[in-house]
Amino acid sequence: MNVTLVQGDISEQRADAIVNAANSSLLGGGGVDGAIHRRGGPEILEECRRLRAGHYGKGLPTGRAVATTAGLLPARWVIHTVGPVYSRSQDRSELLASCHQESLRVADELGARTVAFPAISTGVYGWPLDDAARIAVAAVRAAGTSVEEVRFVLFDTAAYEVFLARISR
Ligand code: ADP
């Protein structure tokens, strides 16, 4: 598997699947979630509502992943995953790794070969960027997956540089 990096907006990525840094309600939020729903149109939210009405009545648990249509986005699927909120007193690294592993497992089920990830949990969920990059890169490299390209999409130069340093190690 190739791990690649781009600086940009996840909602503009051409990929089989793009990963959403969702919250457990699946009903929208800010940051990555806001950009995906804004650009992807109402179809994505409609499918999220159906998931809430069915199997995910209590919401999507942290560390898990589920796919929907990508609506108007230049991708085939959105894989929604819920990152852990960063905690100084509790090590939640396994949950952050799980977001990446579960997203790739769902990608395999779909037959996706290219998957774009944002820097999960590093926005409002407060995870320090370098530590999140370490966990994310290690998790995707360790995943047994048929995905051929994992593309990390970083919103700004600082985040891009941090991920670049991590994948170069
Ligand atoms: P979380 O709630 O998991 O912390 P956020 O969406 O708040 O998720 O932020 C995750 C990361 O994605 C942050 O580093 C943020 O700067 C970045 N980000 C925000 N909007 C976009 C976007 N449209 N495309 C790619 N990355 C984005």
Side-chain angles (χ1 to χ4, degrees), residues 8-11 21-22 30-33 35-36 38 83-84 118-127 129 153-156 159:
D9 185 327
I10 188 104
S11 69
V32 168
D33 205 5
I36 285 175
R38 232 178 357 259
I120 297 165
S121 287
T122 66
V124 294
Y125 285 179
W127 208 293
L129 206 50
V153 181
L154 294 319
F155 210 35
D156 55 36

Side-chain angles (χ1 to χ4, degrees), residues 22-34:
N23 59 57
S24 99
S25 81
L26 291 175
L27 300 179
V32 168
D33 205 5

Side-chain angles (χ1 to χ4, degrees), residues 3-5 96 100 119 122 127-141 152 154 157-169:
V3 179
T4 61
L5 286 190
L96 186 55
H100 295 82
T122 66
W127 208 293
L129 206 50
D130 183 54
D131 197 49
R134 176 182 66 81
I135 294 164
V137 170
V140 302
R141 283 189 173 150
F152 286 104
L154 294 319
T157 313
Y160 179 87
E161 298 289 343
V162 167
F163 269 75
L164 183 62
R166 273 292 160 193
I167 66 162
S168 314
R169 276 182 204 179

